[in-house]
Amino acid sequence: MRTDDLIKALDADARSTAMPLGSAWWIGAGAATVIAAVVFWLAIGPRTDIATAMYTTRFVAKFVFTMALAVSAFALIRALSTPGAATSRAATWMIAAPLLVAAAVGLELLSVPAADWGRRLVGSNMVICLTFIPLIGIGPLAVFLAVLRYGAPTRPVLAGTVAGVLAGGLAATFYAAHCFDDSPLFVATWYTIAIAILAALGALGGRLFVRW
């Protein structure tokens, strides 16, 4: 019997008496969101001018980017955690967030003088961004890795990487409420690096803790 077939058989046997994996993912997502919210509120909280910022396009766009990433990653990781499940459609949706960010960056470059590009890219909070997105996301990442262990991913490193992206998207959604840098240039650069840190940690976690 091939390894993949054995994993599927063991997974099917475990599912006969255990909580459905789909339910485990929704519970895990809820727990991860609560953890991220608690860390966010205790560590930094929302920006002081959020009541007015929420009416600006650039501020709202940050949440569109991060939530699109989180939703698409959630769909993909659910598929990856189930042996034999199709992943191609969910994987295709992972390109949605990068395309949205790329389009926003293009519009930014067209509408802002070239002399301002560097200032908008660097922003004023890049160190805070690189610190707090991973900090907010590390707890959710642990939750997602635990749910992956409950499942039966046949590609644990890939699944762990996607878990990190999911945790990063969730963490970035909360962090965006604090961040004063609303430029798509800033988001495309520093949010991406911060999420990549969690993706790398997720890949390591998948290799160490999710393998059968």
Side-chain angles (χ1 to χ4, degrees), residues 99-166:
L99 286 178
L100 289 170
V101 173
V105 168
L107 291 173
E108 181 93 331
L109 295 178
L110 290 174
S111 61
V112 174
D116 290 340
W117 292 355
R119 178 178 59 82
R120 287 175 178 262
L121 185 150
V122 173
S124 59
N125 291 291
M126 63 179 182
V127 174
I128 296 175
C129 175
L130 293 177
T131 300
F132 281 99
I133 288 180
L135 180 63
I136 295 169
I138 194 68
L141 174 57
V143 172
F144 297 141
L145 289 175
V147 180
L148 279 176
R149 280 182 59 88
Y150 183 76
T154 57
R155 291 173 285 180
V157 175
L158 175 60
T161 302
V162 177
V165 173
L166 173 56

Side-chain angles (χ1 to χ4, degrees), residues 1-140:
M1 178 181 289
R2 295 186 310 167
T3 301
D4 286 359
D5 293 333
L6 176 60
I7 291 175
K8 292 176 185 178
L10 292 172
D11 179 64
D13 181 65
R15 296 286 165 257
S16 63
T17 57
M19 177 191 301
L21 183 57
S23 299
W25 272 117
W26 284 110
I27 292 171
T33 301
V34 170
I35 292 170
V38 169
V39 174
F40 168 75
W41 282 100
L42 291 179
I44 48 177
R47 55 195 277 181
T48 54
D49 66 341
I50 192 170
T52 54
M54 63 188 297
Y55 294 104
T56 63
T57 301
R58 284 184 174 86
F59 179 78
V60 174
K62 294 189 299 184
F63 295 92
V64 174
F65 304 150
T66 58
M67 292 178 70
L69 181 64
V71 169
S72 57
F74 184 64
L76 180 55
I77 200 171
R78 291 182 66 189
L80 286 170
S81 65
T82 305
T87 59
S88 57
R89 178 175 295 183
T92 300
W93 280 106
M94 288 293 292
I95 200 172
L99 286 178
L100 289 170
V101 173
V105 168
L107 291 173
E108 181 93 331
L109 295 178
L110 290 174
S111 61
V112 174
D116 290 340
W117 292 355
R119 178 178 59 82
R120 287 175 178 262
L121 185 150
V122 173
S124 59
N125 291 291
M126 63 179 182
V127 174
I128 296 175
C129 175
L130 293 177
T131 300
F132 281 99
I133 288 180
L135 180 63
I136 295 169
I138 194 68

